[in-house]
Amino acid sequence: MRVGLFGGTFDPIHIGHLIAAEEARERAGLDRVIFVPCGIPPHKRPKRVSAGPVRLEMTRLAVRGNPGFEVSEFEVSRDEASFTVETVRHFKSELGGRAELFLIVGADSLLEMHAWKNPAELLSETRPIVVSRPGFDLGKVEARLRERALVVDGVSVGVSSTDIRARVASGRSIRYLVPPSVLSYIVENKLYTSDSSA
Ligand code: ATP
Ligand code: MG
């Protein structure tokens, strides 16, 4: 079984994430993509990052209906921030030896991968699938990473969660940037309006 782990803040999840995951799923022949919203300890949580359960719920709403997508609460349900290597170990033991693990990362995240904890273990236990993202040059990625990575540079959209939050805060539309279910959730829970800190 080929499994892609896709970590992120997902605050909120948007079509850039979904398109990237679907491209990665198809191009790498993945049986499953597991979205893993990251945990941020409450005492360290900057005001502008939504609480774990909120990001988890939006992610669940967004993947609903795609049988190849699922969501894990592994990182969100821990009290501390997780290192990717810990998450990889968790899934290794949960899925057992039969699973081949891939790490789906946007081009911007890959550029930061040298700063991740235990990059050597990450690279021996998983293969990165790098999805292109407008504005980030994969040519700058270390050769060691580039050699092992599978690059998916099909459709790419310049949507970011930061931009979506800013749009909501200034009353602009985010229709089509997030799935309709996520849009409703954001409106109903008044997320990202300048005074909210959900
Ligand atoms: P923020 O602006 O808050 O950082 P973001 O849009 O970058 O949000 P993250 O949750 O930080 O979203 O990203 C999770 C993962 O998805 C990262 O690996 C990131 O590179 C990737 N990603 C995010 N947006 C895109 C996009 N538009 N195209 C390709 N990959 C993306
Ligand atoms: Mg980001």
Side-chain angles (χ1 to χ4, degrees), residues 6-10 14 16-17 20 105-106 108-109 131-133 157 159-162 165:
F6 190 22
T9 314
F10 302 128
H14 54 66
H17 298 127
V105 290
D108 57 313
S109 307
V131 288
S132 57
R133 188 171 188 180
V157 291
V159 181
S160 75
S161 303
T162 301
R165 293 190 300 270

Side-chain angles (χ1 to χ4, degrees), residues 110 138-151:
L110 190 77
L138 285 173
K140 292 200 191 105
V141 173
E142 279 177 61
R144 170 177 76 129
L145 280 180
R146 224 179 21 228
E147 276 161 22
R148 184 133 171 90
L150 224 137
V151 176

